[in-house]
Amino acid sequence: MQDMPSLPGRRIVLGITGGIAAYKTPELVRLLHARGALVRVVLSHSARQFVTAGALAAVGAQVVDDRGPGMVHIELARWADAILIAPATAHLLSRLAAGAADDLLTTACLATEAPLCVAPAMNRVMWRHAATRANCALLAERAVVFIGPAEGPQACGEDGPGRMTEPCEIVAALERLWAAHGSLQGVRAVVTAGATYEALDPARGFTNRSTGKMGYALAAALADQGASVTLVSGPTALAPPPGVRIMAVTSAAQMRDAVMACREEMDVFVGAAAVADYRPQTVLARKLKKTADALTITFVRNPDILAEVAALTPPPFTVGFAAETGDLESQARAKRARKGIDLMVANPIDEEGVGFAHDDNRVLLIDKDRTVAWAAAPKTEVARALVREIIKRLPRTAPP
Ligand code: C5P
């Protein structure tokens, strides 16, 4: 049996700057790729003297430059789970320390909230120089993670500290970084996702347009932070995220039972499912025939899963979604208070390109004190940002 990849779906921006050690970066990309990471590469101008975009692409990297449309640096900064610069030259370290923003790599470094790792590579005297020391101290203070450098023979013929750490050790350092960054280690999260289906007869039923994308992205983002995640999912066409326990359900009543079965093991509850508020009072055993000119169906209320979870003692940290038309904020704020939940994520469903069945979402984040509006972004990014907000608010975890 094959081992589980150690960096499954990790999104790594690899910045390569102009040191001779750049010739080792195709091997670094190959190792990252083999461990399940997704790698986008930014090459500095001088790095191109040592390694080609073609070699990096051949081993699985996507080479990015800033010639495309839009704000590539922002897109890259948001996409990244980590930025790794290897090799990082003395010049690059000085520019990072100064907050330079004059090329794609440095602007992405400034614009990201992801961890920044550097694997320095330079002559030993340059490494020990007071200017480099001061730059490194400043960067370390800003939580930049230093991987190396190693000691040994150098390309310049000298021997000492300044060799780039070997690719396999850089990969091991990243694996450790994520193990340490999993701020939700030991936290048990339950997420509901997708639509429910309320049967009327063996052939027909009532459902809605939810695809489950938001809930699945949240389950993945929680698992990425080390939470143990149970995803209670209505019928969807989505593949379950790796490492997440899935409980497949159809109706709201089944979803409620599955969630309540986890009640003793739930530190965080995220209700991202579009649960039907009503179900047909009677589920017919045989297919309904079209005999009458008009048809009246009586619906009865479904259990409100989110409200029921929020009323548990002690309650888990609860997050709900409010998909609304019309005045988003006031409706969602009232709903948050009524259901007694910690955090309400409100999104409009009457806007072009966001919400139901779209890849993007534009949300308002509402807690008891305030409302914060986020710009429209891919659901995967909204999910990661939401998980950061959950982490901030959980009493026993520290921000990643
Ligand atoms: O009241 P409304 O359906 O707009 O509330 C939406 C939020 O409540 C979502 O988080 C949804 O998952 C949750 N909900 C629920 N059970 C229901 C209805 C909604 O958990 N029966």
Side-chain angles (χ1 to χ4, degrees):
M1 208 173 79
Q2 252 193 329
D3 285 344
M4 277 276 286
S6 56
L7 298 170
R10 296 291 186 194
R11 300 191 281 192
I12 299 171
V13 171
L14 171 63
I16 305 177
T17 59
I20 176 64
Y23 84 88
K24 295 182 181 175
T25 53
E27 172 64 359
L28 177 58
V29 170
R30 191 189 67 76
L31 292 172
L32 292 170
H33 191 67
R35 281 159 180 73
L38 307 171
V39 186
R40 290 189 183 172
V41 167
V42 180
L43 279 163
S44 77
H45 184 69
S46 46
R48 290 173 192 271
Q49 295 177 2
F50 301 102
V51 65
T52 66
L56 293 158
V59 285
Q62 185 191 341
V63 181
V64 184
D65 60 39
D66 50 8
R67 281 179 299 209
M71 293 190 280
V72 184
H73 62 295
I74 300 293
E75 204 266 320
L76 210 54
R78 287 184 182 156
W79 178 85
D81 289 324
I83 298 185
L84 164 67
I85 306 179
T89 58
H91 184 221
L92 183 276
L93 295 176
S94 78
R95 289 166 64 229
L96 284 183
D102 55 2
D103 63 9
L104 180 55
L105 182 58
T106 50
T107 44
C109 288
L110 271 191
T112 196
E113 290 181 322
L116 173 59
C117 309
V118 293
M122 66 198 73
N123 163 274
R124 67 182 174 90
V125 182
M126 293 168 78
W127 174 247
R128 288 195 178 122
H129 194 284
T132 309
R133 297 293 80 244
N135 290 333
C136 291
L138 190 58
L139 292 173
E141 218 171 88
R142 293 185 198 146
V144 172
V145 177
F146 278 79
I147 304 174
E151 293 213 17
Q154 302 203 294
C156 52
E158 297 183 15
D159 204 294
R163 283 171 61 86
M164 187 178 85
T165 300
E166 289 304 323
C168 60
E169 286 165 32
I170 295 179
V171 171
L174 287 180
E175 288 167 343
R176 284 194 299 276
L177 174 86
W178 269 300
H181 268 79
S183 320
L184 294 177
Q185 298 285 346
V187 170
R188 297 155 306 175
V190 176
V191 179
T192 64
T196 60
Y197 177 88
E198 309 299 328
L200 173 66
D201 71 14
R204 309 178 184 95
F206 296 86
T207 187
N208 60 64
R209 292 171 56 215
S210 168
T211 55
K213 281 181 187 163
M214 194 64 237
Y216 275 55
L218 271 158
L222 287 161
D224 275 354
Q225 287 299 328
S228 97
V229 182
T230 301
L231 177 59
V232 182
S233 174
T236 73
L238 303 173
V244 163
R245 177 166 82 119
I246 190 115
M247 293 173 87
V249 297
T250 303
S251 65
Q254 289 171 355
M255 186 172 273
R256 183 243 166 231
D257 290 348
V259 168
M260 285 304 154
C262 306
R263 58 184 293 168
E264 306 290 339
E265 293 141 26
M266 196 171 3
D267 304 307
V268 173
F269 176 75
V270 182
V275 186
D277 293 323
Y278 296 91
R279 66 179 183 279
Q281 186 170 35
T282 317
V283 182
L284 303 170
R286 301 173 68 102
K287 191 176 165 202
L288 186 69
K289 296 290 177 199
K290 52 173 180 296
T291 44
D293 286 342
L295 176 66
T296 304
I297 299 167
T298 304
F299 284 87
V300 292
R301 280 290 284 270
N302 268 331
D304 190 319
I305 305 166
L306 181 58
E308 200 173 333
V309 169
L312 290 171
T313 32
F317 184 86
T318 46
V319 183
F321 278 75
E324 306 288 354
T325 53
D327 183 353
L328 187 57
E329 185 181 357
S330 63
Q331 296 183 80
R333 180 161 286 289
K335 196 169 282 183
R336 192 205 69 80
R338 194 169 62 245
K339 298 197 189 214
I341 64 167
D342 296 295
L343 200 57
M344 185 58 106
V345 186
N347 62 295
I349 52 171
D350 50 359
E351 238 177 56
E352 266 302 292
V354 293
F356 268 159
H358 290 288
D359 287 331
D360 286 6
N361 213 353
R362 183 180 79 74
V363 305
L364 300 180
L365 204 64
I366 300 172
D367 65 15
K368 78 176 176 10
D369 301 318
R370 64 185 67 83
T371 298
V372 179
W374 288 354
K379 286 180 177 169
T380 48
E381 270 161 33
V382 174
R384 289 193 293 156
L386 264 174
V387 169
R388 282 199 288 273
E389 295 297 327
I390 293 172
I391 290 169
K392 271 194 225 162
R393 289 167 167 83
L394 278 182
R396 60 194 194 78
T397 55

